[in-house]
Amino acid sequence: MLGREYDQVCSIARTLEVLGERWTLLIIRDVFNRRRRFEQIQENLGIARNVLTARLAWLVEQEILEKRRYRERPPRFEYFLTEKGLDLWPVMVSLLHWGDRHLAAGGGPPIVIRHKECGGPVDDRRICERCGAHLGVREATVDDGPGAPPEWLPRAA
């Protein structure tokens, strides 16, 4: 993460102060992909537990994620995107499609975004390629794509 003393009058610089660390965007990606529990995220990313703890705390502090208890003893939590976090969906879709277009390995994209209503694939402008609907985050879902490695953990519903 960039230090908080980074002082530029620029919205991109300010955004990078919050999101500009590699693990941060990957954690957000995992929560978008329905990995909400610490153990799911940690195992999927292979991130050190202390680093994940710090990044999750940062995202909660920045009001991008909300922490909700799902077990009392021992205390266990799930992480959900807030409205502020959901507003990152267009950015994540753009990054995903850019990577698919310019950095893809053989076999196709590892994940595919689909329109919940008709099942059509969603393009980089968040338009359903089947029915032409302009979609918001709540109208889309994520499926494994043809390039998904077989060892990926199943996503919790």
Side-chain angles (χ1 to χ4, degrees), residues 86-122:
L86 290 170
D87 282 348
L88 290 168
W89 189 63
V91 174
M92 301 302 282
V93 171
S94 293
L95 286 170
L96 171 79
H97 282 284
W98 187 91
D100 288 347
R101 187 176 311 114
H102 297 290
L103 304 171
I111 66 168
V112 176
I113 302 171
R114 296 201 177 279
H115 184 188
K116 285 181 182 177
E117 189 172 307
C118 77
V122 176

Side-chain angles (χ1 to χ4, degrees), residues 66-150:
E66 176 184 327
K67 184 177 177 178
R68 297 182 197 163
R69 186 183 302 257
Y70 70 89
R71 184 185 307 155
E72 290 296 322
R73 292 181 184 241
R76 296 284 186 255
F77 299 91
E78 291 180 308
Y79 295 88
F80 292 84
L81 292 154
T82 63
E83 287 301 313
K84 186 176 178 180
L86 290 170
D87 282 348
L88 290 168
W89 189 63
V91 174
M92 301 302 282
V93 171
S94 293
L95 286 170
L96 171 79
H97 282 284
W98 187 91
D100 288 347
R101 187 176 311 114
H102 297 290
L103 304 171
I111 66 168
V112 176
I113 302 171
R114 296 201 177 279
H115 184 188
K116 285 181 182 177
E117 189 172 307
C118 77
V122 176
D123 72 13
D124 62 336
R125 293 167 291 136
R126 301 172 319 280
I127 297 173
C128 176
E129 293 178 1
R130 181 174 293 158
C131 71
H134 289 70
L135 304 177
V137 65
R138 290 179 175 87
E139 300 164 309
T141 190
V142 177
D143 289 328
D144 289 341

Side-chain angles (χ1 to χ4, degrees), residues 27-84:
I27 292 164
I28 292 168
R29 176 208 60 194
D30 272 13
V31 177
F32 267 115
N33 290 341
R34 298 184 299 270
R35 289 185 185 96
R36 295 186 180 106
R37 297 182 177 182
F38 184 97
E39 294 78 16
Q40 292 172 317
I41 299 167
Q42 196 277 324
E43 187 171 349
N44 187 58
L45 294 179
I47 184 175
R49 295 177 72 80
N50 64 320
V51 174
L52 179 55
T53 298
R55 295 301 180 271
L56 287 169
W58 172 250
L59 290 166
V60 169
E61 178 184 327
Q62 294 300 309
E63 299 178 348
I64 292 168
L65 295 180
E66 176 184 327
K67 184 177 177 178
R68 297 182 197 163
R69 186 183 302 257
Y70 70 89
R71 184 185 307 155
E72 290 296 322
R73 292 181 184 241
R76 296 284 186 255
F77 299 91
E78 291 180 308
Y79 295 88
F80 292 84
L81 292 154
T82 63
E83 287 301 313
K84 186 176 178 180

